[in-house]
Amino acid sequence: MFAIEPAEAYTSDDLNYNDADSRVSREHDDERLRDVKLKTTEVPDWDRYTTVYIGYPIWWGVAAWPMNTFVRANDFSGRTVIPFCTSASSPLGSSASELAKLANGGDWKDGQRFSSSESAQNVEAWVRQQS
């Protein structure tokens, strides 16, 4: 497992979508601010992986923008990529296909959306079905 972490972590205030001056609201309104630097994009033993599950929250109908930085920085060639997302109300939509467009290769599969209240048991069952 690898956590995609912004170099400057998002606080709960940063993630307040109801505040027009919050970090995510400013990034949403100005796409130039969405180039989010990550602590690292280097996954240990990346070359060993043939299947990659890539999970993210949905922000305004798209993958959280730190995901863009990660996807652009890694070579997905020769890998099966299985995206999944969490969202209180938005569907998966085109978030996975948009990430695939940014990626360097990979066989990107259809993704899965999980609600914010999804049980671990249901997620684990879905993962087992993918293999």
Side-chain angles (χ1 to χ4, degrees), residues 1-6 15 17 38 52-71 76 81-102 108-116 123 126:
M1 187 169 310
F2 176 80
I4 298 167
E5 300 177 78
L15 295 171
Y17 302 97
L38 302 178
V52 175
Y53 287 82
I54 188 163
Y56 51 89
I58 294 289
W59 289 357
W60 281 281
V62 298
W65 21 94
M67 298 305 298
N68 297 348
T69 304
F70 177 78
V71 167
F76 289 86
V81 184
I82 303 172
F84 64 97
C85 70
T86 58
S87 172
S89 61
S90 297
L92 178 75
S94 63
S95 65
S97 61
E98 292 300 319
L99 288 175
K101 289 178 189 175
L102 299 175
W108 288 69
K109 301 299 184 186
D110 291 336
Q112 176 70 35
R113 175 214 174 252
F114 294 101
S115 71
S116 55
V123 175
W126 174 77

Side-chain angles (χ1 to χ4, degrees), residues 1 14 30 43 63 65 80 121:
M1 187 169 310
D14 290 337
D30 185 349
V43 178
W65 21 94
T80 299
Q121 184 178 17

